[in-house]
């Protein structure tokens, strides 16, 4: 347990946590493919079919499949250990993605692409959620947990700076399927490296209910997790809408290679905001910060559809990226206060799955809008998604208050004397 300080602990102190650097580096490699999958599918299927609508639909099937199966994967990881879930998962994922690429290149019918997209999405390695669960297990009750949430957001966005640029460069400069091939290869290599870090994975519960296969309470039964999932659906709408719309608008002006750069600028804004956000010792509670940060995100996305200049679009994309990090970081931080340790991997995968589902719906709708009304029409999706989610978040924000009695009961005497009261407003 890290020593409690009156100021926000820094990233250097965080990375001095025993064993942290090993699983952080391996986790970075394992999560890289997640940033490449959707854009690689969009670029390949659009190349083979000539339709952004079809490309968005295939990517959407992958996202919906991931959203449905990710929480189950997280629950199995909580029950049997992360390694037991990760090893078979990366093998299935690599095979499914390879099949999807071959079918697309063979001009297979759309239903065949959908069939391959289902296992490709269902088997996406949940490395980000697993890394967050490791931090939560090591830092339970420590003020370093908020710093860890910020660090993970920065790491996520660094992958989204690298991943789309790499996928776009490979798909447009080497071969249309090269992005998916690289994604499959990195899934295997990164997954194996992360699975090898067995000493840092959270302990598997040994209760009689778990050992005997009895019923377990889902993390989704926690009201606050359901509220956060809705908020993360809106964030997924931003990611999906930006990916398809940036692809469409750069194609329309004859500069397809600029797509990865523009999306990288958007992700860089998120990364920079994450670095700054994690370095500040905030006085206000996380619930209030989440609502205010989300309102800023909804406002920032509202002008995307009206911008047609690529430099201006890059500047606005940077602003949108700067507003995403506070919402993401605060949401993930709230999980540590809302959910018992034995269900945290599942809780994190519900949020990851919500982002994937929001992204899936967004790429479908944005693709249809781009086909029907022009490249910029897809930019209507991010403000619509975040606006609706903001209304829900404001209406039921009371669910984000942790049940202190339940947390103490779940923690047992371990929590006595180690945890300060949680500020919720």
């Amino acid at each position: 347990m890290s020593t409690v300080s009156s100021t926000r602990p820094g990233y250097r102190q965080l990375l001095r946590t025993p064993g942290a650097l090993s699983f952080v580096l391996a986790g970075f490699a394992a999560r890289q493919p997640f940033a490449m999958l959707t854009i690689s599918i969009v670029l390949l299927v659009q190349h083979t079919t000539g339709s952004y609508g079809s490309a968005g639909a295939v990517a959407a099937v992958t996202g919906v499949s991931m959203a449905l199966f990710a929480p189950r994967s997280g629950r199995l990881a909580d029950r049997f250990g992360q390694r037991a879930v990760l090893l078979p998962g990366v093998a299935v994922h690599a095979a499914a993605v390879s099949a999807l690429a071959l079918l697309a290149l063979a001009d297979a019918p759309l239903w065949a692409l959908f069939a391959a997209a289902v296992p490709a999405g269902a088997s996406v390695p949940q490395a980000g959620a697993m890394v967050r669960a490791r931090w939560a297990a090591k830092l339970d009750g420590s003020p370093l947990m908020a710093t860890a949430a910020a660090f993970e957001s920065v790491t996520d966005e660094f992958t989204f700076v690298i991943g789309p640029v790499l996928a776009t460069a490979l798909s447009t400069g080497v071969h249309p399927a090269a992005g998916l091939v690289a994604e499959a290869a990195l899934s295997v290599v990164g997954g194996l490296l992360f699975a090898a870090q067995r000493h840092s994975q959270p302990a598997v519960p040994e209760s009689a209910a778990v050992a005997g296969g009895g019923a377990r309470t889902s993390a989704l039964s926690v009201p606050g997790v359901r509220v956060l999932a809705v908020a993360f659906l809106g964030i997924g709408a931003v990611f999906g809408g930006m990916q398809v719309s940036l692809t469409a608008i750069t194609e329309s002006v004859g500069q397809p290679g600029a797509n990865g750069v523009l999306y990288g600028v958007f992700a860089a804004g998120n990364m920079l905001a994450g670095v700054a956000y994690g370095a500040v010792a905030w006085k206000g509670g996380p619930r209030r910060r989440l609502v205010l940060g989300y309102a800023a995100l909804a406002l920032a996305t509202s002008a995307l559809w009206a911008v047609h200049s690529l430099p201006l679009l890059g500047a606005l994309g940077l602003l949108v990226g700067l507003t995403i990090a506070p919402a993401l970081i605060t949401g993930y931080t709230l999980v540590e206060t809302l959910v018992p340790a034995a269900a945290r991997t599942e809780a994190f995968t519900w949020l990851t799955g919500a982002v994937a589902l929001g992204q899936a719906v967004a790429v479908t709708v944005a693709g249809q809008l781009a086909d029907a009304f022009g490249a910029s029409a897809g930019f209507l999706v991010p403000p619509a998604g975040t606006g609706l989610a903001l209304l829900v978040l404001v209406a039921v924000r009371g669910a984000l208050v942790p049940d202190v009695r339940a947390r103490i009961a779940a923690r047992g005497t371990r929590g006595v004397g180690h945890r300060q009261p949680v500020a919720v407003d």
Side-chain angles (χ1 to χ4, degrees):
M1 182 71 65
S2 300
T3 303
V4 177
S5 172
S6 60
T7 60
R8 169 64 57 84
Y11 296 112
R12 182 178 299 179
Q13 183 178 345
L14 177 72
L15 293 176
R16 286 175 179 167
T17 303
L21 197 57
S22 297
F23 73 76
V24 163
L25 293 176
F28 177 76
R31 78 178 77 192
Q32 189 63 50
F34 182 75
M36 301 173 63
L37 183 60
T38 299
I39 190 65
S40 296
I41 291 174
V42 168
L43 291 170
L44 174 59
V45 177
Q46 194 280 329
H47 173 82
T48 58
T49 66
S51 169
Y52 286 106
S54 297
V58 176
V61 171
T62 304
V64 170
S65 180
M66 180 187 136
L68 294 175
F69 283 90
R72 184 61 180 170
S73 172
R75 198 170 191 182
L76 290 172
D78 283 328
R79 182 170 180 177
F80 299 110
Q82 295 181 356
R83 177 183 171 88
V85 174
L86 193 59
L87 290 178
V90 295
V92 172
H93 184 68
V97 167
S98 300
L100 176 58
L102 291 173
L103 287 168
L105 293 174
D107 294 322
L110 201 56
W111 65 263
L113 300 184
F114 290 159
V118 170
S123 58
V124 170
Q126 299 301 312
M130 292 181 179
V131 171
R132 286 181 168 93
R134 295 188 185 211
W135 281 124
K138 282 185 171 292
L139 304 174
D140 196 12
S142 167
L144 276 169
M145 191 59 213
T147 307
F151 180 82
E152 286 305 306
S153 179
V154 172
T155 305
D156 277 340
E157 292 319 307
F158 188 49
T159 67
F160 276 97
V161 171
I162 297 174
V165 175
L166 176 60
T168 301
L170 290 172
S171 297
T172 59
V174 179
H175 189 276
L180 273 183
V181 172
E183 191 273 348
L186 284 170
S187 292
V188 173
V189 174
L192 292 177
L193 287 173
F194 187 68
Q197 308 302 313
R198 286 182 285 185
H199 61 283
S200 59
Q201 73 173 353
V204 177
E206 297 180 356
S207 67
V210 174
R216 286 170 52 98
T217 301
S218 169
L220 199 61
S221 66
V222 178
V225 174
R226 297 196 293 270
V227 176
L228 291 174
V230 172
F232 277 54
L233 279 169
I235 292 173
V238 178
F239 288 130
M242 292 289 284
Q243 284 184 337
V244 171
S245 301
L246 288 175
T247 300
I249 202 167
T250 52
E251 287 277 359
S252 70
V253 298
Q255 299 183 47
N259 171 42
V261 176
L262 287 175
Y263 196 84
V265 169
F266 159 67
N270 197 345
M271 181 179 69
L272 292 173
V275 172
Y277 189 91
V280 175
W282 299 97
K283 294 183 179 180
R287 185 175 65 165
R288 180 179 298 174
R289 297 202 306 270
L290 178 61
V291 172
L292 292 176
Y294 212 93
L297 172 61
L299 181 62
T301 61
S302 62
L304 284 168
W305 65 274
V307 178
H308 303 282
S309 163
L310 294 190
L312 288 177
L313 193 56
L316 187 55
L318 178 65
L319 177 62
V320 173
L322 289 170
T323 60
I324 285 182
L328 276 174
I329 294 169
T330 309
Y332 281 124
T333 302
L334 280 166
V335 168
E336 198 269 339
T337 67
L338 294 169
V339 183
R344 282 188 195 142
T345 303
E346 182 195 350
F348 287 127
T349 52
W350 275 114
L351 301 190
T352 303
V355 172
L357 181 58
Q359 186 173 357
V361 174
V363 295
T364 302
V365 176
Q368 296 293 338
L369 289 174
D371 282 344
F373 302 106
S376 295
F379 283 124
L380 292 170
V381 174
T386 53
L388 291 172
L390 177 61
L391 291 176
V392 174
L393 185 59
V394 171
V396 293
R397 62 188 182 278
L400 298 175
V401 178
D403 186 339
V404 177
R405 288 174 299 178
R407 294 280 292 143
I408 292 174
R411 190 188 302 271
T413 56
R414 203 163 43 92
V416 177
H418 289 282
R419 190 174 184 86
Q420 298 297 321
V422 178
V424 295
D425 287 322

